[in-house]
């Protein structure tokens, strides 16, 4: 009877030890799933959106022991709003940091002008540009027109398309000129893909390779024989070209100073 009691007591102690070890194992397994409680939430990188709105959008609160999986879910939640390029949540000391890079969702700039040029006479100009016209893409379009001229100049730039500081761009230019003091009209179209490298904020180097097409049309019968021969010999000219550009920005001081240098080499590539 005594032996049975001792055996029972020993088994009971073993059971308690095993239970204690099991409980410790469960706690140890569950521990990494939960982070420390953060006493405050800090938003970094906000420029256009109020920090309070970023924090409240997906319900981030101080004093909640978010697990790593929950932090990733909050990142996905914020990215789903389509107003951020990047979102990262992490703990730093006693704070939970929401680090964001915003997409520029401002409506862009629309402007119009009416000006006089000694050659083009009175001309209307309408231009529009916007950062983040599409996600990560800058877009600009300018149109000039009057009864004698029609010009269109458009540009798209994909920031960091091929890595940090390496952009891809596409430019399109076209014009149709029909001056009343000339006996012909001329039309030209230019399409240029380009690469730009930004080694730092003050330097931008561009290399473009495009195609330019020029055509004379509508030559009047009473035009000079020289002009008629030129229209016949040239007709329509299509030629590739290379363009090199350098832009320097002086960002020091109260006002930014920008200087640009550009060189083009037409017919650099054989037809």
């Amino acid at each position: 009877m005594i032996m049975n009691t001792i055996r029972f007591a020993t088994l009971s102690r073993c059971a308690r030890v095993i239970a204690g070890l099991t409980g410790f194992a469960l706690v140890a397994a569950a521990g990494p799933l939960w982070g420390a409680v953060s006493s405050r939430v800090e938003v970094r990188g906000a420029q256009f959106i109020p920090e309070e709105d970023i924090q409240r959008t997906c319900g981030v609160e101080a004093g909640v022991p978010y697990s790593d999986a929950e932090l990733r879910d909050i990142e996905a939640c914020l990215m789903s709003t389509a107003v951020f390029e990047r979102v990262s949540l992490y703990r730093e000391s006693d704070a939970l940091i929401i680090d964001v890079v915003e997409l520029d969702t401002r409506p862009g700039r629309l402007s119009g002008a009416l000006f006089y040029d000694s050659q083009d006479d009175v001309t209307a100009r309408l231009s529009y540009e916007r950062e983040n016209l599409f996600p990560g893409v800058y877009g600009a379009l300018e149109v000039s027109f009057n009864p004698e001229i029609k010009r269109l100049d458009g540009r798209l730039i994909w920031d960091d398309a091929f890595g940090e500081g390496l952009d891809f761009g596409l430019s399109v230019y076209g014009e149709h000129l029909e001056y009343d003091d000339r006996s012909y009209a001329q039309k030209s179209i230019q399409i240029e893909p380009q690469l730009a490298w930004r080694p730092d904020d003050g330097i931008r180097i561009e290399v473009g390779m495009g195609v330019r097409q020029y055509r004379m049309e509508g030559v009047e019968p009473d035009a000079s024989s020289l002009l008629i021969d030129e229209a016949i010999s040239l007709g329509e000219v299509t030629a590739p070209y290379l363009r090199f550009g350098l832009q320097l920005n002086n960002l020091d001081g109260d006002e930014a100073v920008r200087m640009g240098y550009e060189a083009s080499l037409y017919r650099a590539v054989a037809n």
Side-chain angles (χ1 to χ4, degrees):
M1 191 70 176
I2 295 174
M3 293 296 297
N4 290 336
T5 303
I6 293 173
R7 179 187 297 179
F8 177 77
T10 302
L11 290 175
S12 298
R13 282 198 301 273
C14 290
R16 287 197 298 272
V17 171
I18 293 173
L21 291 174
T22 304
F24 175 78
L26 291 174
V27 171
L33 298 176
W34 301 96
V37 176
S38 301
S39 61
R40 58 190 177 90
V41 177
E42 180 181 338
V43 177
R44 296 178 181 174
Q47 297 182 14
F48 313 113
I49 305 172
E51 295 180 2
E52 296 79 7
D53 292 349
I54 295 176
Q55 178 179 340
R56 295 171 184 171
T57 297
C58 297
V60 182
E61 298 180 2
V64 178
Y66 294 107
S67 67
D68 290 341
E70 287 175 322
L71 294 182
R72 303 294 82 79
D73 289 341
I74 295 172
E75 290 175 354
C77 174
L78 288 171
M79 287 296 295
S80 69
T81 61
V83 296
F84 300 108
E85 180 179 338
R86 179 181 59 78
V87 177
S88 179
L89 271 75
Y90 55 90
R91 301 177 185 87
E92 187 176 282
S93 186
D94 64 336
L96 177 61
I97 307 299
I98 306 176
D99 195 350
V100 300
V101 176
E102 298 176 345
L103 294 172
D104 193 339
T105 56
R106 292 175 293 183
R109 183 173 66 90
L110 177 66
S111 63
L114 191 67
F115 62 93
Y116 174 78
D117 184 276
S118 59
Q119 176 175 295
D120 296 339
D121 207 356
V122 178
T123 304
R125 177 180 295 164
L126 185 66
S127 61
Y128 176 76
E129 65 175 343
R130 180 177 178 180
E131 296 285 349
N132 199 46
L133 180 64
F134 308 110
V137 179
Y138 164 83
L141 180 67
E142 181 176 283
V143 179
S144 302
F145 55 92
N146 68 19
E148 296 182 340
I149 70 167
K150 299 347 181 254
R151 292 192 179 98
L152 181 146
D153 191 355
R155 191 174 193 186
L156 295 173
I157 300 176
W158 284 260
D159 290 336
D160 301 326
F162 300 109
E164 185 69 25
L166 190 58
D167 306 336
F168 173 75
L170 179 65
S171 296
V172 177
Y173 177 82
E175 68 176 8
H176 184 274
L177 308 178
E178 192 171 3
Y179 296 111
D180 57 8
D181 59 348
R182 296 181 183 177
S183 53
Y184 69 97
Q186 64 186 59
K187 180 183 294 184
S188 61
I189 299 174
Q190 182 173 304
I191 300 175
E192 178 192 310
Q194 56 200 224
L195 288 175
W197 179 43
R198 295 177 284 107
D200 57 48
D201 293 337
I203 301 176
R204 181 182 180 87
I205 301 171
E206 290 186 357
V207 178
M209 180 176 179
V211 176
R212 186 181 187 186
Q213 183 184 84
Y214 173 82
R215 182 168 68 244
M216 293 179 62
E217 57 183 25
V219 180
E220 298 178 359
D222 59 350
S224 67
S225 58
L226 181 62
L227 184 61
I228 294 176
D229 291 342
E230 182 180 350
I232 294 174
S233 61
L234 290 179
E236 179 179 298
V237 177
T238 301
Y241 68 91
L242 290 174
R243 182 182 65 84
F244 305 93
L246 172 63
Q247 181 175 295
L248 303 176
N249 299 322
N250 181 10
L251 304 179
D252 296 332
D254 297 333
E255 296 184 1
V257 178
R258 175 171 297 174
M259 296 181 294
Y261 305 90
E262 188 170 298
S264 296
L265 183 61
Y266 290 90
R267 293 185 179 272
V269 183
N271 290 323

